[in-house]
Amino acid sequence: MEIMISNPGELAVKNVQYPNAAEYYCLLPYETETVSGVMLAMGGRASVPPAAVPLECRGRYKIYIALFSGFYQMPEVRIKLDHEQSFQKLSLRRTNHEEFYDSAVSIYEVFWKEADLNGNSLVFDGSLLSGELPSAIAYIRLEENNSRQVPQKQPVPLAITADGWGAFGYCPHQKSEDLLVNFEQIPRDLNIKLLFWGNGVGDWCNYPTKIGNYFSKYTSPIDIRADDMNILQRNAQIWQKQSWDSMAIVREYARQRGWEFHVYIRMQGFGVLYPKGMLVQSDFFAAHPEYYCRDKQGVPVCKLSYAYPAVQEHMLALIEEILTYQPDGICLNFTRGLPMVLYEDVLVEQYQALYHEDPRQLPEDEPRWLALQKDTVTAFIQKVKKVLNGRRLSVMVPGKPQDAEKYALDIPRWVKEGYIDDLVVAGTRYNVHDVHVDDPTALDFDAYASLEGRGKIRLMSLLYPWGFAENRLGDWLRIYKHAAENGADFLGFWDAEINPPLRLPKLEILNDIERFEKENPLIYRKIPLKTFQGFRADRYHYFEQI
């Protein structure tokens, strides 16, 4: 059963237990496509007696409140049930600039709480605090809930990433444990089970490497950047001087926290152009221009091609070096720096020998050419799997299977043939520059979940906690929830250790998606007004009059 109270203003004025509502509050008529009534609105005074709206029902109900504020701010009210001691704030956050205007001609329905009602009233504190603009209650919707309480499911465990070099730029390090300062801010009651720790960028490493470049090596002056990169450079030199080993320290810390420890490698992190080329260097890249990727015209691309055995052997040697730290697994990051192969002579010649055509004269997605590229990358995956000798191999891949195909990542084959153990699907799309862009809507979880051999791997969704998450938190959460409800083995969270005050609240959400979706007022239903105070509201916005 549903009860709709669409005229809280009129009911509050008539409530003799809370007199004088008409003196301190505004009554605002409104109309939408589905409901009309009279809002109960703050009158704009600093201190007023509360007003109350009788609910007049008995039983257990979910309580939804429709709020209104007018422009400049999203609504915020203080309410309680009449038997409760203190008021509770119910507020919304503007998710984009358009809400600045929409809030004047929309009401926002949000879930408040579930409660046992026994003829109670909803009490509204109409006092206006400093810095606030008035808000209103448009309607109260009660949804009866007599269902049995069912045991709560165990939440899907979380996997977090840390790129392995951003942490070095957070604050100056005086002791090796300073590297862990942000990890220590992550609550210990979160259901985190796995850490992907970055080795750095490509073969530019944050641990004392003999295969790649240790990240304390720079040709640039130390003051090339005055921000976190400057701190990173100084910290890198301190770590080298003190002979501290970040890989060993983070591995031990992960084990203390009960996290699986996987090292992830950005598979294209070698060549960087000015000005960051003054900061990040790969000697192997600089010494071997003959191994660069090439476009159709033979112009070099700032990437190493995995079509060359020497590049594969270099990276296999790096992986073997990382394995001496006894990680639980290795993760190959194929979400950044794509592609792995292009039109290198070694591939062009193979294709010409097989088909007597020049692939450079064909479309990029010509099936036989794409198959040869995929076979080349897959051969490297097979070699990595062999080197791991039983440890887990995971890959981070684009959210859309079409993008994985475009960049010659043969995910269906890797899953079916058992070449990988964990598949991490990122919410990213790729722009015209082949740069990955944060876009959780591009994560096609169902397509990856339906792959043949899915039951042999662990499948994870991976989203970024900025951009989309900041502007559309409710939709961001629903993408995670869909993955959780459809068999995700982990929910992945990018760069958990960077800027904890901004990112940790979102990480905590994932520990209890169900509760957050019910209780958090950031998830709302926006309902356009047709009329407000007797005037048309869906067009001819009155903002222009001010």
Side-chain angles (χ1 to χ4, degrees):
M1 182 176 68
E2 179 179 284
I3 299 173
M4 175 68 80
I5 302 172
S6 63
N7 59 338
E10 292 178 336
L11 293 176
V13 169
K14 296 176 182 178
N15 191 341
V16 295
Q17 293 180 308
Y18 290 82
N20 304 317
E23 180 180 351
Y24 296 104
Y25 292 81
C26 296
L27 308 186
L28 307 175
Y30 71 95
E31 180 184 10
T32 75
E33 287 288 350
T34 57
V35 63
S36 61
V38 179
M39 300 183 190
L40 174 63
M42 293 178 177
R45 301 191 189 186
S47 180
V48 302
V53 180
L55 302 182
E56 296 182 348
C57 59
R58 288 169 171 76
R60 188 162 187 84
Y61 286 85
K62 295 179 180 179
I63 305 173
Y64 296 84
I65 312 291
L67 304 177
F68 175 81
S69 68
F71 54 81
Y72 294 126
Q73 72 169 29
M74 295 293 280
E76 178 173 310
V77 298
R78 289 174 299 281
I79 55 178
K80 68 173 185 174
L81 295 175
D82 54 5
H83 68 279
E84 295 173 329
Q85 293 295 316
S86 57
F87 287 95
Q88 301 151 38
K89 183 171 74 173
L90 188 63
S91 62
L92 300 178
R93 181 169 65 92
R94 189 168 68 233
T95 58
N96 57 63
H97 188 69
E98 283 300 311
E99 292 290 359
F100 186 85
Y101 307 106
D102 287 355
S103 62
V105 291
S106 305
I107 56 178
Y108 298 84
E109 182 191 277
V110 296
F111 175 81
W112 179 39
K113 66 165 68 177
E114 188 170 319
D116 292 309
L117 301 179
N118 188 25
N120 300 92
S121 293
L122 179 83
V123 185
F124 179 25
D125 178 8
S127 301
L128 193 64
L129 303 182
S130 176
E132 286 184 336
L133 287 172
S135 294
I137 295 176
Y139 66 72
I140 303 162
R141 185 168 67 85
L142 306 174
E143 192 176 279
E144 191 172 20
N145 182 19
N146 293 321
S147 60
R148 272 189 316 112
Q149 293 291 321
V150 297
Q152 193 169 16
K153 295 179 181 178
Q154 286 296 314
V156 177
L158 309 181
I160 62 174
T161 79
D163 62 22
W165 63 293
F168 287 90
Y170 188 72
C171 65
H173 292 176
Q174 298 178 351
K175 56 185 184 299
S176 61
E177 289 78 12
D178 289 338
L179 181 65
L180 308 173
V181 63
N182 284 353
F183 283 123
E184 276 295 288
Q185 296 187 55
I186 298 176
R188 293 179 179 266
D189 60 350
L190 293 183
N191 193 34
I192 298 172
K193 299 297 183 184
L194 191 155
L195 167 65
F196 291 108
W197 170 254
N199 72 309
V201 182
D203 65 352
W204 184 79
C205 301
N206 57 18
Y207 65 92
T209 177
K210 295 179 180 178
I211 303 300
N213 286 92
Y214 190 43
F215 73 155
S216 63
K217 179 184 177 182
Y218 297 96
T219 58
S220 63
I222 196 71
D223 58 355
I224 181 70
R225 293 279 293 275
D227 57 5
D228 58 332
M229 291 301 290
N230 181 279
I231 296 174
L232 185 149
Q233 289 184 68
R234 295 180 186 277
N235 282 339
Q237 294 178 356
I238 292 170
W239 277 71
Q240 184 178 39
K241 182 179 179 180
Q242 297 295 334
S243 299
W244 296 334
D245 191 331
S246 62
M247 188 73 74
I249 288 169
V250 177
R251 177 201 62 200
E252 291 308 308
Y253 180 79
R255 289 177 177 170
Q256 292 171 16
R257 294 289 298 257
W259 302 340
E260 290 183 32
F261 178 67
H262 295 233
V263 178
Y264 91 78
I265 307 167
R266 297 185 189 181
M267 303 311 293
Q268 283 288 13
F270 309 104
V272 184
L273 303 179
Y274 179 89
K276 284 197 172 181
M278 302 170 73
L279 301 171
V280 180
Q281 308 139 23
S282 164
D283 287 346
F284 184 84
F285 178 86
H288 295 288
E290 70 273 20
Y291 299 148
Y292 294 172
C293 288
R294 303 272 169 172
D295 71 3
K296 284 186 175 184
Q297 288 72 42
V299 178
V301 175
C302 196
K303 304 176 190 297
L304 288 174
S305 173
Y306 283 80
Y308 295 107
V311 174
Q312 295 192 17
E313 291 305 317
H314 176 68
M315 294 307 290
L316 288 169
L318 185 74
I319 291 170
E320 288 181 309
E321 181 179 69
I322 293 172
L323 289 175
T324 64
Y325 288 92
Q326 302 295 310
D328 297 298
I330 294 290
C331 177
L332 309 182
N333 185 338
F334 290 120
T335 64
R336 302 175 65 143
L338 293 168
M340 300 295 112
V341 295
L342 276 171
Y343 291 87
E344 295 73 59
D345 287 345
V346 63
L347 278 183
V348 170
E349 290 168 4
Q350 286 183 53
Y351 187 88
Q352 288 175 323
L354 288 169
Y355 304 112
H356 309 291
E357 287 186 274
D358 187 341
R360 292 167 295 194
Q361 306 302 318
L362 302 173
E364 289 185 2
D365 60 353
E366 195 280 321
R368 295 176 303 180
W369 171 244
L370 194 56
L372 179 60
Q373 290 180 308
K374 289 195 291 187
D375 286 346
T376 302
V377 179
T378 297
F380 174 69
I381 295 291
Q382 292 173 295
K383 292 175 183 177
V384 175
K385 181 68 172 176
K386 184 176 181 180
V387 163
L388 294 190
N389 195 26
R391 287 191 177 84
R392 301 191 74 87
L393 173 59
S394 58
V395 291
M396 293 183 184
V397 301
K400 289 184 177 180
Q402 302 94 307
D403 285 333
E405 176 82 4
K406 172 184 175 181
Y407 293 115
L409 306 176
D410 197 350
I411 312 303
R413 182 180 174 189
W414 301 352
V415 173
K416 180 181 177 180
E417 301 297 330
Y419 298 150
I420 61 173
D421 302 291
D422 299 321
L423 179 58
V424 186
V425 184
T428 57
R429 60 178 172 83
Y430 294 81
N431 65 19
V432 295
H433 304 291
D434 300 291
V435 173
H436 84 291
V437 179
D438 168 37
D439 185 359
T441 64
L443 199 163
D444 191 346
F445 183 85
D446 293 345
Y448 287 105
S450 64
L451 289 176
E452 184 178 353
R454 160 43 185 132
K456 299 185 291 186
I457 65 166
R458 298 189 300 190
L459 180 60
M460 315 180 196
S461 57
L462 176 67
L463 300 184
Y464 295 171
W466 56 76
F468 189 100
E470 293 171 337
N471 295 322
R472 296 171 59 184
L473 183 57
D475 292 332
W476 181 82
L477 176 63
R478 291 183 189 99
I479 291 167
Y480 270 123
K481 184 179 180 183
H482 177 81
E485 291 178 342
N486 287 275
D489 298 290
F490 288 84
L491 302 180
F493 188 94
W494 188 263
D495 278 355
E497 96 291 5
I498 299 178
N499 205 350
L502 292 179
R503 301 186 185 182
L504 290 184
K506 299 187 187 76
L507 181 59
E508 290 178 312
I509 288 170
L510 300 187
N511 212 41
D512 194 347
I513 287 178
E514 294 292 336
R515 181 184 62 80
F516 180 84
E517 188 177 50
K518 287 180 179 179
E519 298 178 3
N520 196 286
L522 293 175
I523 301 175
Y524 54 78
R525 183 166 68 99
K526 181 166 68 175
I527 305 167
L529 289 167
K530 287 183 63 179
T531 66
F532 179 57
Q533 292 184 264
F535 293 93
R536 184 166 177 176
D538 57 344
R539 285 195 66 191
Y540 317 116
H541 202 301
Y542 63 88
F543 180 85
E544 301 293 353
Q545 277 87 275
I546 296 178

